[in-house]
Amino acid sequence: MLRFILVIAAVVPLTLSMLPVHLLAIRFGWRAQRAIPQLYHRIVCALIGVRIHQVGRRCDGPVLILSNHVSWLDICVISAVAPVSFIAKSEVATWPVFGALARWQRTVFIDRQARHRTGEATREIGARLQDGDAMVLFAEGTSSDGSRVLPFRSALVGAVHHAIGEQAGARVAVQPMAVTYTGFGGLPIGRELRQRVAWYGDAELIPHFVELLSAGAIDVTVSWGDAVATSIDADRKQITRDAEQSVRRMCEAARRAGMRGAIAPRPAAAPVTTPDVQPEAA
């Protein structure tokens, strides 16, 4: 509990100091509106004790990123390595603290109970892609226990079609990404420990939040798959299937690498390492 108190004592003033600048950046359309959340989440990950290893390279420019989903911590991890916005279920907007942070990061909220509004949502996502944003979609539609990747859903991948619009020859990139937790509290993650990091099912948010922030070091691998330039006549279901298979392969490779690394002691890593991706300038 002491660790949790210390982390919160550092995160609260950090948030209050960076938030006004970020809101001004959004209000006036400054480029910093993309860079500030990345800097914020890098600091938060360092304070929590999250150590990030990247494999592969993020696609530059507007891109729809299709990812697996394990925990609320995914948001901090992904935001720390790339200037992105998220596509989330509408319930997230009502969550204490997390809902406000999601809105400030320009999240697009999807009402899953009103399927007739999917077209409206994809048009909004498409507009953001046209503006040059990188948008992350947790394509499973929910979080998992981290031991497996659930089937990806294709409905919102239609956003790339709206981004392309009627522009002749226009293309938008779609890139798979895998988030794999490999270490927890200094131990390699097996099924039991992986479920302590994962937030899924009926698990309550606040108790999980407190426990995770009290845990100490957490190791995670963010793997980037090959980006595919998508045209207006692309098959969104095929794109989704290919991304799902890629994410499964990357998660399995990260788990194997994590177990191999656990055989012998490794030197202490910096809180956040991004050897393959250079942050965008503000």
Side-chain angles (χ1 to χ4, degrees), residues 235-251:
D235 183 342
R236 63 179 173 85
K237 292 186 177 181
Q238 186 62 50
I239 292 170
T240 306
R241 286 192 294 268
D242 291 344
E244 178 186 329
Q245 293 173 4
S246 177
V247 170
R248 289 182 190 276
R249 289 194 297 268
M250 291 188 292
C251 283

Side-chain angles (χ1 to χ4, degrees), residues 177-256:
M177 177 185 66
V179 179
T180 313
Y181 293 91
T182 59
F184 182 75
L187 298 173
I189 283 188
R191 180 178 294 273
E192 182 179 349
L193 286 179
R194 189 174 293 118
Q195 291 185 352
R196 292 183 64 183
V197 178
W199 179 65
Y200 67 104
D202 297 327
E204 295 186 10
L205 176 59
I206 298 304
H208 188 274
F209 176 73
V210 173
E211 181 180 6
L212 204 58
L213 264 60
S214 303
I218 300 170
D219 293 290
V220 58
T221 296
V222 177
S223 307
W224 300 94
D226 294 332
V228 177
T230 305
S231 63
I232 190 65
D233 57 353
D235 183 342
R236 63 179 173 85
K237 292 186 177 181
Q238 186 62 50
I239 292 170
T240 306
R241 286 192 294 268
D242 291 344
E244 178 186 329
Q245 293 173 4
S246 177
V247 170
R248 289 182 190 276
R249 289 194 297 268
M250 291 188 292
C251 283
E252 183 58 33
R255 292 189 194 106
R256 289 198 302 267

Side-chain angles (χ1 to χ4, degrees), residues 17 38 128 132 138 176 202 249 276:
S17 64
Q38 184 177 10
R128 293 283 295 277
F138 292 122
D202 297 327
R249 289 194 297 268
D276 297 310

